[in-house]
């Protein structure tokens, strides 16, 4: 980052991106549950109603299908809607609009129709919200042609990626981890964009490559610090965007370190980590000194009890343990 910065919470950085884009482009509107007077479940839209009014900050009923359907229609008619769903767990209710409408209109109409909308929502565990409010469902969306999928881990990336997502002419699924909202970091002031599809090396290393995203980036960085104390230098790559994917960054790192560990919170079976491991196996097999490893969520609903919750998704010590096995 260059230029002036200031320390902000993750949710504040998202709110600033929304405010700046609404000031810049009057076509940007926001729709969702409790986003107006209440400012959203995690206060991302706090203050926007007073500044932009109820025409552009649209409070909606609790109807995920209706909210997303309205956003698709608004986007097709020239607006740039940003939808907030309270929990990714309920995005399934809106899948017909996302999969059969938002993702495909551009292709079905030969590029004459575009759906420039963003669907923001949050997921992940760690807050005792139990099975129906703690899922990590990014793999659902990455499987749909026509959707872009973004998962920022830091306040600066949250601001820059949301700005780019709003300006994108395709539908973007923007997934935020609920335990990142109150994390702090330096955020560039004013207009700030992070391109979609550009990974970030959060920590350089030589002995293994850890590919990760969202909250597991923070865990992986802490794990890399512990590994360094034992003489193991792990490179931590934050994908930031799963679609489009920065394949070159992953392959270049693995070709230098010769070992791959993919870490994500979502359930391992059918998870996006399998895609990363497959790409490396197909395109960099001869560069590997060990089989790729995946460390991910267990195949179980997220428990309510917090001491159990931590046992089903990767924690810092889990990453340290598997990394040491990989380099042994």
């Amino acid at each position: 980052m260059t230029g002036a910065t200031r320390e902000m919470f993750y949710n504040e950085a998202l709110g600033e991106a929304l405010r700046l884009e609404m000031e810049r482009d009057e076509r940007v509107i926001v729709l969702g549950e409790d986003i107006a007077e209440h400012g959203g479940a995690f206060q991302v839209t706090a203050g926007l109603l007073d500044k932009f009014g109820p025409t552009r900050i649209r409070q909606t009923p609790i109807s995920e299908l209706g909210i997303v359907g309205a956003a698709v229609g608004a986007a097709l008619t020239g607006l740039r809607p940003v939808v907030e769903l309270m929990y990714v767990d309920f995005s399934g209710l809106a899948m017909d609009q996302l999969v059969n409408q938002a993702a495909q209109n551009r292709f079905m109409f030969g590029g004459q129709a575009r759906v420039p909308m963003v669907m923001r929502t949050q997921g992940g565990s760690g807050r005792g919200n139990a099975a129906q409010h703690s899922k990590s469902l990014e793999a659902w969306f990455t499987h749909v042609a026509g959707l872009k999928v973004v998962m920022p881990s830091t306040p600066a990336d949250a601001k820059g990626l949301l700005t780019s997502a709003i300006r994108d002419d395709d539908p973007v699924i923007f997934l935020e981890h609920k335990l990142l909202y109150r994390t702090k970091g330096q955020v560039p002031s004013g207009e700030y964009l992070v391109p979609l599809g550009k990974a970030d090396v959060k920590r350089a290393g030589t002995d293994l490559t850890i590919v990760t995203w969202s909250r597991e980036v923070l865990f992986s960085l802490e794990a890399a610090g512990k590994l360094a104390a034992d003489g193991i230098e792990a490179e931590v790559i934050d994908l930031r965007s799963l679609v489009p994917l920065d394949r070159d960054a992953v392959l270049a790192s693995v070709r230098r370190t010769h070992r791959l560990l993919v870490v994500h919170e979502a359930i391992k079976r059918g998870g996006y980590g399998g895609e990363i491991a497959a790409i490396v196996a197909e395109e960099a097999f001869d560069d590997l000194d060990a089989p790729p490893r995946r460390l991910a969520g267990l195949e179980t609903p997220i428990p309510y009890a917090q001491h159990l919750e931590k046992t089903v998704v990767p924690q810092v010590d889990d990453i340290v343990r598997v990394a040491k096995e990989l380099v042994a």
Side-chain angles (χ1 to χ4, degrees):
M1 287 183 285
T2 59
T5 65
R6 65 187 178 99
E7 190 176 52
M8 303 178 73
F9 286 111
Y10 186 100
N11 64 334
E12 294 174 331
L14 290 167
E16 181 162 286
L18 285 171
R19 177 178 59 78
L20 291 172
E21 286 307 290
M22 293 188 76
E23 289 174 347
R24 187 187 69 87
D25 186 344
E26 63 180 13
R27 296 173 299 171
V28 179
I29 63 171
V30 180
L31 305 88
E33 309 151 1
D34 285 343
I35 62 157
E37 289 85 357
H38 185 60
F42 293 91
Q43 295 297 289
V44 171
T45 56
L48 296 183
L49 176 65
D50 291 340
K51 185 172 180 61
F52 298 104
T55 299
R56 298 181 67 193
I57 303 297
R58 303 301 294 264
Q59 185 92 346
T60 68
I62 300 176
S63 172
E64 286 79 6
L65 176 62
I67 302 167
V68 174
V72 172
L76 285 168
T77 56
L79 297 177
R80 289 185 172 270
V82 180
V83 172
E84 178 176 316
L85 298 188
M86 278 191 184
Y87 291 90
V88 73
D89 307 70
F90 304 108
S91 61
L93 294 163
M95 273 301 197
D96 179 61
Q97 287 295 325
L98 289 169
V99 175
N100 289 321
Q101 304 302 328
Q104 297 179 5
N105 266 279
R106 172 187 164 194
F107 301 94
M108 293 176 68
F109 291 97
Q112 297 183 72
R114 306 299 292 259
V115 186
M117 61 167 279
V118 178
M119 188 190 84
R120 286 185 47 246
T121 187
Q122 58 80 29
S125 65
R127 198 164 171 259
N129 288 162
Q132 294 174 327
H133 297 77
S134 302
K135 295 183 187 68
S136 297
L137 298 176
E138 60 267 28
W140 281 11
F141 302 108
T142 62
H143 192 66
V144 179
L147 295 180
K148 296 178 179 176
V149 181
V150 178
M151 297 185 73
S153 67
T154 68
D157 286 347
K159 177 180 177 178
L161 288 166
L162 182 56
T163 303
S164 295
I166 293 170
R167 297 186 188 185
D168 201 280
D169 284 337
D170 293 314
V172 178
I173 308 300
F174 200 92
L175 301 175
E176 303 151 10
H177 195 291
K178 57 174 63 67
L179 289 188
L180 291 177
Y181 288 120
R182 299 308 286 171
T183 57
K184 275 186 173 180
Q186 292 296 320
V187 178
S189 300
E191 183 181 70
Y192 178 62
L193 291 89
V194 173
L196 307 186
K198 184 68 176 176
D200 187 36
V201 178
K202 289 287 196 284
R203 178 186 177 114
T206 55
D207 296 323
L208 78 155
T209 298
I210 299 177
V211 175
T212 185
W213 51 90
S214 192
R215 187 185 180 218
E216 291 291 344
V217 172
L218 307 190
F219 285 178
S220 295
L221 288 170
E222 186 176 343
K226 289 188 174 185
L227 290 166
D230 290 332
I232 299 169
E233 295 296 335
E235 182 150 294
V236 178
I237 295 183
D238 178 2
L239 289 183
R240 302 196 292 194
S241 301
L242 306 189
V243 182
L245 173 67
D246 192 346
R247 301 161 66 103
D248 291 345
V250 173
L251 292 169
S253 178
V254 170
R255 285 174 174 139
R256 285 189 291 100
T257 68
H258 308 295
R259 292 174 176 83
L260 170 68
L261 171 60
V262 187
V263 180
H264 60 72
E265 184 171 325
I267 289 174
K268 184 177 183 178
R269 182 187 62 205
Y272 198 67
E275 179 71 12
I276 303 299
I279 289 171
V280 169
E282 287 173 348
E283 300 187 32
F285 183 80
D286 290 339
D287 295 291
L288 292 171
D289 287 342
R293 293 285 301 270
R294 290 178 291 154
L295 180 61
L298 303 183
E299 295 175 14
T300 180
I302 300 294
Y304 171 71
Q306 286 192 314
H307 70 285
L308 294 176
E309 195 176 23
K310 290 181 178 178
T311 67
V312 302
V313 299
Q315 304 293 309
V316 173
D317 288 344
D318 299 320
I319 301 170
V320 170
R321 173 179 52 81
V322 176
K324 286 183 175 179
E325 292 172 358
L326 190 57
V327 301

